[in-house]
């Protein structure tokens, strides 16, 4: 097999846990990978490809994650503090038997990231931060259920948002669809980021380079790093079973960021202009992709 595992016999049980014979399950798939590897294609290691059982478990995690964001969507508005959002996320997640993945992750102090206006990502919820009319905020939720990870984020417009800022939020949402259109099995992953980058540039925006998407499932952040400032026809092929996030950060002004906040987390645009981000988690399939969390 292509990444050096022990050869399976045609009549052995398939490695994916389906219970089917290898020849009726992943034999053809492995032969395809082996051939591509010989041709010099860049391929993910098989350990990153999710088995059907893993996909089911990750979907259960994502059900909680989507539920959290649906709850936030219902309750968010002017006068709410980002601390309150954190409390909703903690309560909903734990009441559903899950753990908020950000809590204590590399020292992150809260259950969710709330990034307001010029904050690019990793904003820390605070009782002193009151959402007011005209603000935009990204709420980035990640969940661990039975050891399986899900991760997605949405933007929320608070009250009356200036048309230019609302357009940034809408265009960033649309950029996810532009990226998903490139999420085609056996095509290079770089096409996703390249398409999103071109779309953002057409709108006069810029894309943050330092942060991007990531593999996910058995861990919070797995390989690959999914850049949104990359060239087409680069990176791993999108092999069915690969799971990752698409989460571009699009700035109204320049792409440069400021990471000097003493809290070690909050990332801002260098020019202080607004920025937006949406995040989805996807699984590559034989036919295309499946949305896992949104
Ligand atoms: N949810 C973020 C992502 O999309 C990661 C946040 S890490 C944290 O990858 F510690 F800040 F929560
Ligand atoms: Co993510």
């Amino acid at each position: 097999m292509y990444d050096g595992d022990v050869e399976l016999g045609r009549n052995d049980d398939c490695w994916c846990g389906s219970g089917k014979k290898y020849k009726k399950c992943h034999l053809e798939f492995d032969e395809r990978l082996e051939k591509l590897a010989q041709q010099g294609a860049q391929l993910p290691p098989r350990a990153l490809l999710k088995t059907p059982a893993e996909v089911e478990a990750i979907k259960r995690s994502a059900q909680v994650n989507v539920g959290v964001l649906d709850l936030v969507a219902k309750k968010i508005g002017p006068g709410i503090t980002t601390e309150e959002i954190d409390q909703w996320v903690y309560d909903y997640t734990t009441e559903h038997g899950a753990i908020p993945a950000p809590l204590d992750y590399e020292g992150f102090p809260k259950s969710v990231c709330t990034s307001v206006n010029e904050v690019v990502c990793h904003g820390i919820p605070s009782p002193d931060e009151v959402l007011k009319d005209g603000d935009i905020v990204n709420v980035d939720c990640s969940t661990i259920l039975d050891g399986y990870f899900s991760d997605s984020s949405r933007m929320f417009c608070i009250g009356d948002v200036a048309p230019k800022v609302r357009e940034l939020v809408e265009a960033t949402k649309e950029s996810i669809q532009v990226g998903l259109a490139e999420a085609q099995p056996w095509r290079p992953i770089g096409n996703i980021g390249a398409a999103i980058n071109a779309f953002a540039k057409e709108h006069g925006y810029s894309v943050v380079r330092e942060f991007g998407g990531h593999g996910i499932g058995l861990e919070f952040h797995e390989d690959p790093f999914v850049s949104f400032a990359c060239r087409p026809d680069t990176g791993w092929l999108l092999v069915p079973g690969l799971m990752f996030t698409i989460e571009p950060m699009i700035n109204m002004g320049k792409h440069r960021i400021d990471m000097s906040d003493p809290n070690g987390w909050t990332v801002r645009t260098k020019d202080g202009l607004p920025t937006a981000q949406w995040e989805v988690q996807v699984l590559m399939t034989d036919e295309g992709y499946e949305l896992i969390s949104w």
Side-chain angles (χ1 to χ4, degrees):
M1 265 162 271
Y2 78 97
D3 60 354
D5 276 2
V6 185
E7 280 297 332
L8 280 183
R10 296 174 56 81
N11 290 315
D12 290 341
D13 286 345
C14 187
W15 53 260
C16 79
S18 63
K20 289 189 213 158
K21 289 190 176 177
Y22 185 42
K23 67 181 177 196
K24 296 245 157 138
C25 198
H26 274 90
L27 173 62
E28 217 177 293
F29 175 88
D30 282 347
E31 282 172 352
R32 182 172 190 173
L33 283 169
E34 219 169 75
K35 205 163 149 206
L36 283 164
Q38 278 162 13
Q39 291 165 359
Q42 284 180 263
L43 295 165
R46 202 176 57 196
L48 287 180
L49 305 181
K50 306 304 181 259
T51 67
E54 287 167 347
V55 169
E56 285 317 304
I58 296 164
K59 281 184 179 174
R60 285 193 284 276
S61 170
Q63 212 176 348
V64 178
N65 206 57
V66 170
V68 178
L69 279 163
D70 287 347
L71 178 77
V72 171
K74 273 193 211 137
K75 296 174 71 149
I76 201 167
I80 295 291
T81 66
T82 50
E83 175 83 5
E84 285 172 86
I85 298 172
D86 185 69
Q87 195 64 52
W88 302 337
V89 172
Y90 180 83
D91 290 345
Y92 183 98
T93 306
T94 52
E95 279 161 18
H96 286 78
I99 302 166
L103 193 57
D104 293 330
Y105 174 77
E106 293 184 3
F108 192 80
K110 296 283 181 174
S111 296
V112 64
C113 297
T114 49
S115 302
V116 181
N117 297 333
E118 79 288 357
V119 175
V120 172
C121 61
H122 304 164
I124 301 175
S126 156
D128 303 327
E129 188 174 46
V130 185
L131 296 176
K132 58 182 192 309
D133 202 52
D135 283 345
I136 57 170
V137 54
N138 173 276
V139 179
D140 191 343
C141 289
S142 322
T143 297
I144 316 171
L145 181 67
D146 301 329
Y148 295 92
F149 288 80
S150 52
D151 183 10
S152 55
S153 80
R154 302 181 198 165
M155 293 298 294
F156 298 98
C157 289
I158 307 300
D160 213 8
V161 169
K164 274 196 162 234
V165 179
R166 191 174 282 274
E167 275 162 32
L168 172 71
V169 171
E170 292 304 321
T172 304
K173 185 175 191 181
E174 206 181 325
S175 83
I176 298 282
Q177 297 305 320
V178 170
L180 285 171
E182 299 295 331
Q184 294 166 20
W186 307 103
R187 301 283 302 146
I189 195 167
N191 292 2
I192 296 174
I196 287 176
N197 200 287
F199 178 82
K201 273 196 194 140
E202 278 165 30
H203 281 77
Y205 303 140
S206 62
V207 180
V208 171
R209 302 178 181 187
E210 293 83 347
F211 297 95
H214 49 92
I216 178 164
L218 309 192
E219 298 193 50
F220 197 171
H221 297 110
E222 300 174 357
D223 281 339
F225 173 67
V226 183
S227 172
F228 303 103
C230 62
R231 292 180 198 289
D233 288 318
T234 57
W236 287 351
L237 298 189
L238 294 167
V239 174
L242 193 66
M243 192 184 279
F244 57 92
T245 68
I246 300 177
E247 50 176 312
M249 291 155 219
I250 299 188
N251 296 350
M252 186 177 271
K254 299 271 160 46
H255 72 84
R256 298 217 185 278
I257 58 174
D258 172 4
M259 297 207 278
S260 65
D261 192 300
N263 71 24
W265 284 102
T266 311
V267 179
R268 295 185 175 80
T269 55
K270 193 139 216 159
D271 57 18
L273 291 175
T275 178
Q277 178 184 29
W278 292 77
E279 174 178 18
V280 295
Q281 176 173 347
V282 298
L283 168 71
M284 293 311 301
T285 65
D286 292 323
E287 295 80 30
Y289 66 84
E290 189 179 345
L291 272 185
I292 299 295
S293 190
W294 56 88

